[in-house]
Amino acid sequence: MNTLIAVLVGVLFGAGIYLMLSRTPVRLIIGLVFLSNAINLLIFDAAGLTRGIPPIIASGAEKLARSHADPLPQALILTAIVISFGVLAFALVLFNRTFKTLPARDLSDLKATDT
Amino acid sequence: MNTLLVLPILIPLATAVACLLAWRSRTIQRIIGVSGAVGLLTTALILLTTVWREGVIASQLGNWPAPFGITLAADLLSAIMTVLGSLMGFSVIIYSLGSIDRRREAYGYYPFFHLLLMGVNGVFLTGDLFNLYVWFEVMLMSSFVLLALGGEKPQLEGAIKYVTLNLISSAFFLTALGILYGMAGTLNMADLAVLAKEAKYPGVATTLSMLFLVAFGIKSALFPLFFWLPASYHTPPVPVSAIFAGLLTKVGVYTLLRVFTLLFIQNPGYTHTLILALAGLTMVTGVLGAMSHNEFRRILSFHIISQVGYMVMGLGLFTPLAVAGSIFYIIHHIIVKTNLFLVSGVAHRLQGSFELDKLGGLSHKAPALTVVFVISAFSLAGIPPLSGFWAKYVLVLNSLQIESYLIAATALLVSLLTLFSMAKIWAGAFWGEAPSDNEPGRIEPSPPDLLTKVALYAPMFLLAGLTLTIGLMTEPFMALAVRAADQLMNPAPYIQAVLESRP
């Protein structure tokens, strides 16, 4: 399972970066989505995929009944998902507005502020 | 629970919320915005004196003992950066009163400005790497909005480049965090520092350090990763440019300083030599870029890159004196660079352009502005007795002491080239002939009224005065930098303060 997820992370990273190198703005945004999902999976995988119960000791018991799963990576991913969602929403509006305002057709036309 | 550590984050948040509640009234937003900035500056100064007297202070949020909860911690470096951040916030918000247009004010300039300050202070004060990521995003999100606010064509185009490259940097950072957590099982910086000493996986640690270097390298505009900066910093209104120029790249430098003195110290022969090489290349490319331009703000943007090289150079040399030099350089640079951007704004206001060949003759028209520019520009180039001279002196002296002659020579050469391009601005904008009035396409500038003038000039005088003070009375500031560097190089008290602090 670990290997499978690792391969998936690699594929998502590759696809994301490939899409971001394209000149079409929509592809750039989809590439960003792939990238952030790849990272979420990577956090999950790097912290170890274990099946287990939540780390809460039942009342009256001295220790956990079975092996537990680490809740922290899930908390990290949850935060990362919320942030990447917010950023994505902003990026979508920004790209939409930019290509409505500027005469540019794609990203390779954006050269006015370059040096 | 130490309130002093939470207040630099809470005050800007409260200010931003209050500004949002007063959405309809520009006047009330202005009053709230300024008083919030004053409150923040006062708190930051109290924090600095407390840390100076009592050493590192730490606090655990939500009563979870470290390393399980989120830690806020302030050593001297954090406190210095918080003070500088709030000082720039204060100066720029006063300047904004005289220069931000009504439409931007009506569409949330003040709330986002304070959210930016909140993110910046959060980065400086947190003791947890994931929390650092979250504060980075708070800061980035508000900077995205401030950059694009107003929706002018160059702004939107600059924003696309800025947003995309910063998102890639965040992606690198988050990847590094995931792998680091998998390896170490903790993201508390003090706890990680303890583990780093044991050096269980030196190979993986070096790989990870490179991921962090790329992530923070993009944010602090290091050599091959700086392209977003000159493409975007000259597009927004001047106050926004100024606060970005003063603070945002320096946040990247702060994280580099923190991470490469606390966590990745296992293999300095590789990591810190690489950082030193990058620092040299950053200085040279930055200053060459600046020399090739003829627009006020573009020249200044390239100088940010070149100066970041100096700050990182001290980290690359990795001796207590060199790190102290870096910290002193940051103190000097934030003040001077913000001020130069503010000067460019008034120049634009007087002559209606940022192009050097259309400015001309400012020394007759605005003598006060000329004095401020001369102090800041000469300080940037490192002319004694201004603050930049001492910053460069310490760095070059130390690189000669430890026999890194190449970097010392680079630093001196770049400083000479900096002087050249400052002289170019001087000759083009301040000396020279005033451009003829009947030139086509020239916007006739409106003379500012008295209140606007006060709002524009007061922060510039304040910052220029500070530059002079640091230059003429270097002793206390250098003592501060040396002690901050000492805390960075011997992190035992920091680790102890974080891990043993009671909730």
Side-chain angles (χ1 to χ4, degrees), chain B residues 55-106:
Chain B
V56 183
I57 50 176
S59 184
Q60 315 295 338
L61 296 185
N63 283 354
W64 292 94
F68 302 108
I70 290 171
T71 304
L72 291 183
D75 62 354
L76 265 180
L77 177 64
S78 307
I80 293 173
M81 297 302 287
T82 315
V83 169
L84 285 171
S86 344
L87 181 67
M88 291 314 115
F90 171 71
S91 318
V92 173
I93 211 157
I94 300 284
Y95 188 90
S96 309
L97 297 180
S99 77
I100 282 285
D101 52 292
R102 280 162 174 269
R103 250 188 81 227
R104 287 197 172 87
E105 277 187 329

Side-chain angles (χ1 to χ4, degrees), chain B residues 100-120:
Chain B
I100 282 285
D101 52 292
R102 280 162 174 269
R103 250 188 81 227
R104 287 197 172 87
E105 277 187 329
Y107 283 97
Y109 174 76
Y110 294 110
F112 280 106
F113 188 89
H114 280 279
L115 287 177
L116 181 78
L117 289 182
M118 173 173 89
V120 169

Side-chain angles (χ1 to χ4, degrees), chain B residues 300-320:
Chain B
L300 293 181
S301 304
F302 268 107
H303 273 300
I304 300 177
I305 300 167
S306 156
Q307 310 285 310
V308 162
Y310 282 97
M311 295 170 218
V312 177
M313 168 182 160
L315 178 63
L317 294 170
F318 205 48
T319 63

Side-chain angles (χ1 to χ4, degrees), chain A residues 13 20 32 39 42-43 46-47 70 72-73 76 79-80 83 86-87 90 94 98 101-102 110-115, chain B residues 130 133 137 141 144-145 153-154 156-157 160-161 163 167-168 171 174-175 178 181-182 187 230-231 234-235 293 298 302:
Chain A
F13 259 106
M20 290 184 82
L32 272 179
I39 296 164
L42 179 124
I43 298 175
D70 186 359
L72 194 73
L76 301 185
T79 317
I83 291 175
V87 170
F90 179 83
L94 178 71
T98 307
T101 321
L102 293 174
L110 297 178
K111 285 185 182 141
T113 69
D114 274 350
T115 43
Chain B
F130 192 79
Y133 165 74
E137 293 300 313
M141 205 62 186
F144 293 166
V145 177
K153 285 178 184 177
L156 289 172
E157 195 180 326
I160 282 199
K161 293 163 189 169
V163 168
L167 289 186
I168 293 175
L174 199 54
T175 312
Y181 182 75
L187 288 172
H234 60 92
T235 58
H293 277 281
R298 287 191 194 230
F302 268 107

Side-chain angles (χ1 to χ4, degrees), chain B residues 134-400:
Chain B
V134 176
W135 288 122
F136 251 134
E137 293 300 313
V138 171
M139 177 185 96
L140 281 182
M141 205 62 186
S142 8
S143 71
F144 293 166
V145 177
L146 283 177
L147 188 61
L149 191 68
E152 289 164 19
K153 285 178 184 177
Q155 273 191 298
L156 289 172
E157 195 180 326
I160 282 199
K161 293 163 189 169
Y162 179 84
V163 168
T164 314
L165 282 167
N166 272 298
L167 289 186
I168 293 175
S169 143
S170 299
F172 271 104
F173 187 13
L174 199 54
T175 312
L177 281 180
I179 299 173
L180 184 62
Y181 182 75
M183 201 179 81
T186 176
L187 288 172
N188 185 298
M189 287 200 261
D191 205 23
L192 281 170
V194 175
L195 291 175
K197 276 192 193 144
E198 295 165 10
K200 260 197 218 152
Y201 313 100
V204 186
T206 310
T207 315
L208 265 178
S209 69
M210 288 303 108
L211 274 174
F212 276 103
L213 184 62
V214 172
F216 296 149
I218 295 179
K219 298 215 196 276
S220 51
L222 276 188
F223 163 59
L225 310 164
F226 59 75
F227 295 100
W228 56 272
L229 193 150
S232 61
Y233 269 25
H234 60 92
T235 58
V238 171
V240 178
S241 286
I243 194 87
F244 281 19
L247 286 183
L248 297 194
T249 46
K250 263 55 74 182
V251 172
V253 176
Y254 164 83
T255 47
L256 279 175
L257 273 175
R258 179 68 74 203
V259 167
F260 280 92
T261 55
L262 197 59
L263 307 184
F264 302 116
I265 40 168
Q266 301 90 344
N267 196 358
Y270 178 71
T271 48
H272 289 72
T273 315
L274 181 69
I275 291 177
L276 192 62
L278 288 179
L281 289 166
T282 311
M283 285 183 221
V284 175
T285 39
V287 86
L288 289 181
M291 286 166 66
S292 70
H293 277 281
N294 266 318
E295 203 248 38
F296 208 145
R297 285 200 288 175
R298 287 191 194 230
I299 296 178
L300 293 181
S301 304
F302 268 107
H303 273 300
I304 300 177
I305 300 167
S306 156
Q307 310 285 310
V308 162
Y310 282 97
M311 295 170 218
V312 177
M313 168 182 160
L315 178 63
L317 294 170
F318 205 48
T319 63
L321 185 60
V323 174
S326 276
I327 296 171
F328 190 81
Y329 208 105
I330 295 177
I331 300 175
H332 139 75
H333 172 86
I334 290 184
I335 296 172
V336 167
K337 183 54 80 179
T338 310
N339 209 6
L340 281 173
F341 267 91
L342 298 183
V343 169
S344 81
V346 178
H348 178 260
R349 180 133 191 168
L350 291 172
Q351 307 282 52
S353 174
F354 286 113
E355 297 291 332
L356 289 185
D357 47 356
K358 286 183 191 151
L359 284 164
L362 276 172
S363 59
H364 297 294
K365 210 167 180 178
L369 185 72
T370 313
V371 172
V372 172
F373 175 78
V374 166
I375 291 174
S376 305
F378 278 11
S379 179
L380 191 75
I383 304 286
L386 295 159
S387 59
F389 168 73
W390 302 109
K392 282 179 183 160
Y393 176 73
V394 170
L395 285 172
V396 172
L397 176 74
N398 193 252
S399 54
L400 290 177

